Amino acid sequence: MQFNSQPNLLDGNVLVVDNAAATLAVVSQVLEEAGCEVSVALDGALTLELVSIHSPDLILLDIQMLGIDGFEICQQLKEGATTREIPIIFMSVLNDADSKLKAFDMGAVDYITKPFQEKELLVRVRTHLTLRRLTQSLPLGVASSTSELPLTLDQLHKSQLQVMQREKMSALGSLMSGIAHELNNPLGFLDGSVTNAQCYVQDLVEHIALYQECYPIAHEDIADNAEDINLDFLIEDLQKLLFSMKMATHRMKSVSTSLRNYSRADTDHLVSTDLQEGLDGTLLLLTYRLKGDDYRPAIKVVREYSDCPPVECFSGQLNQVFMNILANMIDMFDEMAQERSQKTPKESSAEYFKQHPQVITISTKILENDAEIRIRDNGKGMSTEVKARIFERLFTTKAVGKGTGLGLAISHQIVVDNHGGSLEVLSAPGEGSEFCIKIPMLVP
């Protein structure tokens, strides 16, 4: 892990509890460099003793510990009259939903999965120290403290979005990496086998041609058999068939590569990235959704790419932004098609979309200091009210169960907070929507 010099951003006493000395050293260094006063404990008994002597402002607590585990420590602290209000953040390698649910049910205020990211740790610690300070000072200065709450809650929301984004990308990355790994071995076998088969067939074709040259007058049975199996067509089509199989394996390899690249674990490292390659990879993953169905023909994708150099960015995160925007556009087209099919006969609906094809246009260009990506559709557009709220957390226009309202909120945070760029939407009812993404050529 790399440590960045931090100004004294945090003010508070944090108790870090973990039975791994290396983890205690790393977390302590990160927090102390940010201005915290840090105390540590290697086991549950020492933790309870330290808390009884001096109550910390915040506890970072591991779950898997020798003797008393983290859950039991938390339970005892929450049962104590003088310790129940101390905020506890669990920090554990356990990444399953049951462990997280149990942690929050026991009264934890947050949950960090190890290995942690330094920035994420500091954001969450800062948020809960601030909330702790405001809670303690509220009876003494309600008006003053209340004025700080919106900023703190905004920080908490951003922290929660970062958690959701990281865990979603981690899970998605693991899934896609696993799928790609499982595909690679049979794909490698198929690709090599088809190549060998092409060579073998070519040798056989040349051998047959040599026979025909040396024995131009074939035996009657051989001539009849050649006619029955349509030998000339068979030789020509077999070579075409093998060539098509070769192209299919290459296509599958490109899908496998896109799966691996889509969710690269680069959340802490800038990567020199061809944004257009990321867009193409995302479109490749959405191919099945762009195809036609019972309600509409295939969605047309128009690429208006310019000559763009690689950009230093968090490529996996930007791929997620592309996915969120494009998937929302496809959802919108699906909704339009289904609504029309309910109002008009199937033949009439098909004729309408033939005359008014659904199109997504993606353009890229380099401005003075930014890389600009514009993704627009020719759909139904948005009202002024929807456009004003489109990047709000938990806001969605989709039916219950169809959307969480987090995709565009996370996208906005990725572009604006993580890259120092901008994400804007231009839209009006009946005129489609356009998302404009600007990424600085050098992310600060």
Side-chain angles (χ1 to χ4, degrees):
M1 173 172 293
Q2 296 179 342
F3 298 103
N4 301 321
S5 179
Q6 297 279 348
N8 287 347
L9 299 174
L10 308 183
D11 181 18
N13 182 285
V14 180
L15 172 60
V16 184
V17 183
D18 200 299
N19 62 0
T23 300
L24 290 177
V26 170
V27 176
S28 298
Q29 182 177 348
V30 171
L31 295 179
E32 287 173 352
E33 288 182 352
C36 282
E37 180 182 342
V38 181
S39 52
V40 300
L42 281 165
D43 58 54
L46 180 57
T47 299
L48 297 173
E49 182 180 345
L50 288 175
V51 173
S52 67
I53 297 172
H54 176 67
S55 178
D57 298 309
L58 179 67
I59 298 175
L60 295 179
L61 180 60
D62 189 18
I63 294 176
Q64 295 176 307
M65 301 183 62
L66 299 176
I68 307 175
D69 68 15
F71 288 135
E72 187 174 346
I73 295 171
C74 180
Q75 182 176 357
Q76 291 191 36
L77 291 174
K78 292 303 175 183
E79 290 174 349
T82 60
T83 58
R84 65 167 61 104
E85 299 302 326
I86 302 174
I88 296 174
I89 299 177
F90 277 106
M91 191 164 63
S92 174
V93 295
L94 299 177
N95 195 29
D96 59 285
D98 289 342
S99 296
K100 295 176 184 179
L101 183 61
K102 183 177 180 179
F104 286 114
D105 283 344
M106 298 191 73
V109 296
D110 214 335
Y111 194 106
I112 299 174
T113 303
K114 294 191 288 187
F116 65 89
Q117 304 296 328
E118 179 181 338
K119 291 180 182 178
E120 177 189 346
L121 174 67
L122 292 177
V123 165
R124 301 211 211 174
V125 169
R126 182 187 303 114
T127 296
H128 292 293
L129 283 176
T130 305
L131 287 172
R132 172 70 165 166
R133 175 173 55 81
L134 290 174
T135 302
Q136 291 175 326
S137 64
L138 205 56
L140 301 175
V142 174
S144 173
S145 299
T146 303
S147 66
E148 297 181 49
L149 279 174
L151 177 61
T152 304
L153 291 174
D154 182 62
Q155 291 175 339
L156 181 58
H157 288 159
K158 287 184 177 180
S159 175
Q160 290 171 335
L161 285 176
Q162 286 179 345
V163 176
M164 295 173 191
Q165 172 201 333
R166 183 184 172 210
E167 292 186 354
K168 177 180 178 181
M169 293 302 287
S170 176
L172 191 59
S174 297
L175 174 64
M176 290 186 170
S177 178
I179 293 173
H181 178 74
E182 291 300 319
L183 284 175
N184 281 341
N185 286 338
L187 277 177
F189 168 76
L190 285 174
D191 189 51
S193 297
V194 172
T195 299
N196 290 337
Q198 285 178 311
C199 294
Y200 300 157
V201 168
Q202 184 61 34
D203 288 344
L204 289 172
V205 168
E206 291 175 357
H207 188 69
I208 292 172
L210 183 60
Y211 257 102
Q212 291 174 333
E213 181 181 342
C214 294
Y215 302 97
I217 301 176
H219 187 278
E220 182 179 349
D221 291 342
I222 295 176
D224 290 343
N225 181 256
E227 185 176 349
D228 290 341
I229 65 173
N230 200 347
L231 181 61
D232 292 339
F233 170 79
L234 187 151
I235 290 173
E236 180 183 357
D237 198 57
L238 179 57
Q239 295 181 50
K240 290 180 180 178
L241 180 63
L242 289 171
F243 178 78
S244 297
M245 292 171 65
K246 187 75 173 178
M247 292 301 99
T249 59
H250 288 174
R251 168 84 170 169
M252 293 174 69
K253 280 186 173 182
S254 68
V255 172
S256 176
T257 300
S258 294
L259 288 173
R260 290 199 310 271
N261 292 340
Y262 176 75
S263 301
R264 271 193 274 181
D266 58 6
T267 53
D268 263 0
H269 305 283
L270 295 173
V271 177
S272 182
T273 302
D274 184 340
L275 296 180
Q276 294 171 170
E277 188 177 283
L279 286 163
D280 286 341
T282 305
L283 287 170
L284 184 61
L285 296 178
L286 288 170
T287 298
Y288 75 101
R289 294 206 56 203
L290 293 167
K291 292 180 178 178
D293 56 26
D294 292 339
Y295 299 101
R296 59 162 177 79
I299 297 169
K300 183 179 180 182
V301 176
V302 177
R303 295 172 173 85
E304 297 176 347
Y305 292 167
S306 61
D307 187 13
C308 295
V311 176
E312 295 289 323
C313 64
F314 304 117
S315 61
Q317 294 183 24
L318 286 183
N319 287 342
Q320 186 183 2
V321 174
F322 301 153
M323 177 65 78
N324 287 336
I325 293 174
L326 289 165
N328 279 346
M329 288 181 172
I330 297 172
D331 288 341
M332 178 271 303
F333 281 141
D334 285 343
E335 290 172 9
M336 286 181 64
Q338 291 179 23
E339 289 171 2
R340 176 164 289 276
S341 70
Q342 294 171 0
K343 298 176 182 178
T344 61
K346 187 174 182 180
E347 296 77 12
S348 176
S349 181
E351 183 61 27
Y352 173 84
F353 286 116
K354 185 177 180 180
Q355 299 296 325
H356 305 85
Q358 297 174 320
V359 182
I360 294 175
T361 304
I362 306 174
S363 62
T364 61
K365 66 179 178 180
I366 298 298
L367 305 178
E368 184 176 353
N369 298 309
D370 300 323
E372 181 185 79
I373 304 102
R374 290 182 177 268
I375 306 175
R376 66 180 182 272
D377 63 57
N378 63 341
K380 59 186 177 182
M382 307 177 197
S383 66
T384 303
E385 293 76 15
V386 170
K387 187 172 67 172
R389 300 187 60 192
I390 197 68
F391 297 119
E392 287 184 15
R393 178 176 173 271
L394 301 182
F395 174 77
T396 180
T397 59
K398 298 176 182 178
V400 175
K402 298 293 186 179
T404 62
L406 293 174
L408 290 179
I410 290 175
S411 297
H412 189 272
Q413 183 173 5
I414 289 172
V415 174
V416 176
D417 295 345
N418 298 3
H419 288 84
S422 65
L423 174 57
E424 299 176 347
V425 61
L426 306 172
S427 185
E431 297 183 9
S433 301
E434 180 177 62
F435 287 83
C436 179
I437 306 165
K438 292 182 180 178
I439 302 296
M441 295 300 292
L442 291 176
V443 176

